Amino acid sequence: MSKHTDAAEDVLLEKKGCAGVITLNRPKFLNALTLNMIRQIYSQLKKWEQDPETFLIIIKGAGGKAFCAGGDIRVISEAEKAKQNIAPVFFREEYMLNNAVGSCQKPYVALIHGITMGGGVGLSVHGQFRVATEKCLFAMPETAIGLFPDVGGGYFLPRLQGKLGYFLALTGFRLKGRDVYRAGIATHFVDSEKLAMLEEDLLALKSPSKENIASVLENYHTESKIDRDKSFMLEEHMDKINSCFSANTVEEIIENLKQDGSSFALEQLKVINKMSPTSLKITLRQLMEGSSKTLQEVLTMEYRLSQACMRGHDFHEGVRAVLIDKDQSPKWKPADLKEVTDEDLNNHFKSLGSNDLKF
């Protein structure tokens, strides 16, 4: 591999044994995705897909703390404010990469060890195999920064059991460890001390089929011991989640939570009330529409939403409050759900004409 600049080190692309291995390599930044990383991964993925000697693709994060904490959105917000228009390009290429993962012709194994949020979910959840460890921390926390659970969230979230995806999308609730598997986000669970061995076993396979790969993962999954006997942490709340989050408007969901009155419901109410009202409304509609769309149709819809959010107020305010000043008190505009009109909402979903994301 030829290495030119420091940026080239942000992601390592190596052919090892039967596999192409992608290592997200910005551990100081929790492996947050840059445009440069997206471009490198996309072009290498396409090459490996065509290479008869590459039988599977493995993606993982360096440093042990994170698989990938998301896209480097602070950089995007700062660039937008400085009138450098990188957002249209960043989101377009990121979503094209999400689709490339979803349509990858080779078995794709994401080792989701550590923080896996936002853009990191987009790099893993659409692939064939997702292996969580006890250190995995999953969330789609975008409503807290004036965005929405993008990278194909509109596709995979409404397809989770019951209304679980709607709950995760609106609250940004975090799932840990084996619960990421129980929720259906991971396909396998492996104790982290066995992760390196699992990778070695995968690399040592000779011209493996999808079934050979699945069987190695299955063996490790079956032998994993951590939290094996615990039930899904949201199990006792699933009935509440299903009934409260089955409403068609955010206002009704909030009313349902108030009516429910349990400590769990009131806790979620508190969380939802802190989120961007615009983001909440966009997100609910995104999931409702996404539930019957293909991944590509969802990504086209989400690209429209992403560009509307860049033009708006809440995304830049959310990034300021959460990532820059860290005062955690964003001033949303509008500040109230009832001020977010249907017209505002419809404008977010409008076609961008020749600027639409096309596959």
Side-chain angles (χ1 to χ4, degrees):
M1 300 292 296
S2 54
K3 297 279 197 291
H4 306 294
T5 57
D6 291 343
E9 300 287 348
D10 285 350
V11 58
L12 309 176
L13 303 159
E14 303 161 288
K15 183 74 190 359
K16 293 182 175 177
C18 66
V21 182
I22 303 164
T23 308
L24 308 171
N25 192 34
R26 295 180 77 208
K28 282 199 185 100
F29 302 97
L30 301 176
N31 299 325
L33 270 185
T34 62
L35 181 57
N36 171 59
M37 291 162 77
I38 289 166
R39 286 179 169 166
Q40 289 193 63
I41 296 167
Y42 183 88
S43 105
Q44 190 60 60
L45 195 56
K46 290 296 177 193
K47 284 180 192 146
W48 279 333
E49 237 182 331
Q50 298 305 318
D51 172 29
E53 295 305 302
T54 303
F55 290 88
L56 83 145
I57 290 155
I58 294 174
I59 185 166
K60 59 182 184 168
K65 260 185 92 168
F67 167 69
C68 170
D72 203 336
I73 46 178
R74 179 177 172 166
V75 168
I76 298 165
S77 180
E78 284 167 353
E80 283 293 295
K81 284 191 196 139
K83 301 279 177 271
Q84 301 162 335
N85 222 357
I86 84 159
V89 182
F90 181 92
F91 287 104
R92 183 179 295 273
E93 297 196 26
E94 183 182 25
Y95 295 177
M96 288 186 72
L97 176 55
N98 300 146
N99 178 60
V101 170
S103 59
C104 186
Q105 297 303 301
K106 301 275 167 90
Y108 182 98
V109 181
L111 304 177
I112 49 176
H113 173 62
I115 298 165
T116 304
M117 296 184 185
V121 176
L123 281 183
S124 53
V125 77
H126 305 299
Q128 200 167 10
F129 301 111
R130 291 93 62 187
V131 182
T133 71
E134 75 282 3
K135 296 276 195 320
C136 182
L137 180 62
F138 163 94
M140 294 300 274
E142 290 80 5
T143 54
I145 54 160
L147 207 55
F148 57 95
D150 63 338
V151 299
Y155 181 79
F156 83 87
L157 288 164
R159 285 167 173 78
L160 298 176
Q161 56 187 288
K163 292 290 168 181
L164 177 61
Y166 290 79
F167 164 72
L168 296 173
L170 294 169
T171 63
F173 189 90
R174 295 174 169 202
L175 292 171
K176 298 185 183 76
R178 205 180 272 263
D179 281 339
V180 180
Y181 163 74
R182 292 199 179 101
I185 292 150
T187 55
H188 297 82
F189 177 86
V190 172
D191 300 341
S192 63
E193 58 173 29
K194 297 274 168 56
L195 203 56
M197 221 156 67
L198 165 64
E199 193 185 337
E200 276 173 35
D201 281 357
L202 288 171
L203 297 178
L205 292 169
K206 298 280 176 272
S207 314
S209 65
K210 187 178 86 180
E211 289 70 26
N212 299 145
I213 292 159
S215 127
V216 171
L217 294 173
E218 207 48 53
N219 289 341
Y220 273 85
H221 175 82
T222 309
E223 285 168 22
S224 63
K225 297 194 170 52
I226 295 172
D227 290 340
R228 182 189 283 175
D229 304 322
K230 274 199 189 148
S231 61
F232 182 37
M233 73 176 299
L234 290 172
E235 193 57 55
E236 55 178 315
H237 304 302
M238 275 315 294
D239 288 347
K240 282 186 175 54
I241 288 171
N242 292 340
S243 60
C244 291
F245 286 83
S246 60
N248 291 329
T249 67
V250 178
E251 290 89 339
E252 285 173 76
I253 290 173
I254 285 175
E255 190 49 41
N256 289 344
L257 291 166
K258 280 183 186 155
Q259 292 293 324
D260 181 281
S262 64
S263 61
F264 176 78
L266 297 177
E267 185 57 41
Q268 304 324 311
L269 190 61
K270 225 161 66 183
V271 171
I272 287 177
N273 282 330
K274 290 192 180 123
M275 302 307 189
S276 151
T278 304
S279 288
L280 290 169
K281 286 201 169 180
I282 294 169
T283 298
L284 181 57
R285 178 159 156 192
Q286 170 207 1
L287 265 63
M288 287 168 70
E289 293 199 6
S291 66
S292 58
K293 289 184 189 301
T294 64
L295 176 58
Q296 290 188 351
E297 289 167 342
V298 164
L299 290 167
T300 298
M301 166 179 72
E302 291 180 354
Y303 185 68
R304 293 169 182 171
L305 296 176
S306 74
Q307 299 315 291
C309 289
M310 293 307 111
R311 296 191 298 271
H313 165 273
D314 281 5
F315 169 68
H316 304 289
E317 172 60 10
V319 170
R320 180 206 65 73
V322 175
L323 299 174
I324 298 173
D325 300 340
K326 300 192 169 139
D327 57 31
Q328 310 300 332
S329 5
K331 306 282 176 280
W332 306 123
K333 281 185 200 164
D336 200 307
L337 278 168
K338 60 177 176 286
E339 295 166 37
V340 184
T341 64
D342 287 348
E343 190 188 0
D344 293 334
L345 207 52
N346 292 337
N347 284 334
H348 279 80
F349 286 82
K350 262 201 192 124
S351 164
L352 301 170
S354 61
N355 290 325
D356 258 342
L357 175 61
K358 298 181 186 69
F359 295 98

